[in-house]
Amino acid sequence: MSPAKAFADHLRLAVRLTPNASRDGIDGLDTTVDGECWLKARVTAVPEDGKANKALIQLMAKALRLPKSSIAFISGETARKKILRIEGDPEDLMKKLDQLLAR
């Protein structure tokens, strides 16, 4: 299972975010009992006024070596589970995501 789905011009990435963490980071994958797969991420920012969401975009942009403007929310801006839209070549983005998770 993969938390990412490729489309013609972008990738959709399912993320489970933990705010108020001791450090920023990506903690691998999490699979629920019903088979959903999520990328686990944590940020030190608090979940108010969109601070944790901005920190998540900054974390993902840095990890995938992309501009922050290429990442946007599709859903979940006020929830722990979020869907991100990442603009770019889906094949290239999948390779970057695989390399990130292989660490």
Side-chain angles (χ1 to χ4, degrees):
M1 285 297 297
S2 172
K5 291 186 176 112
F7 290 83
D9 62 343
H10 70 281
L11 199 69
R12 288 188 184 174
L13 181 63
V15 178
R16 185 176 184 279
L17 181 64
T18 302
N20 284 329
S22 58
R23 64 179 175 84
D24 292 344
I26 296 171
D27 297 329
L29 299 177
D30 187 27
T31 305
T32 61
V33 291
D34 59 353
E36 288 182 299
C37 187
W38 301 85
L39 178 75
K40 293 189 301 182
R42 62 176 143 174
V43 295
T44 56
V46 293
E48 55 188 46
D49 299 324
K51 291 176 185 173
N53 287 341
K54 288 177 187 170
L56 173 62
I57 287 177
Q58 188 171 355
L59 174 69
M60 294 306 302
K62 183 177 178 182
L64 296 172
R65 296 179 307 280
L66 297 169
K68 289 184 283 189
S69 61
S70 67
I71 302 173
F73 286 93
I74 292 177
S75 67
E77 288 186 63
T78 59
R80 184 173 285 241
K81 293 182 176 178
K82 304 167 183 306
I83 306 292
L84 298 178
R85 178 186 172 110
I86 305 173
E87 297 290 331
D89 176 38
E91 193 175 307
D92 184 45
L93 293 172
M94 286 296 264
K95 285 179 187 174
K96 286 182 178 184
L97 186 60
D98 289 342
Q99 290 171 351
L100 178 66
L101 293 172
R103 291 183 199 162

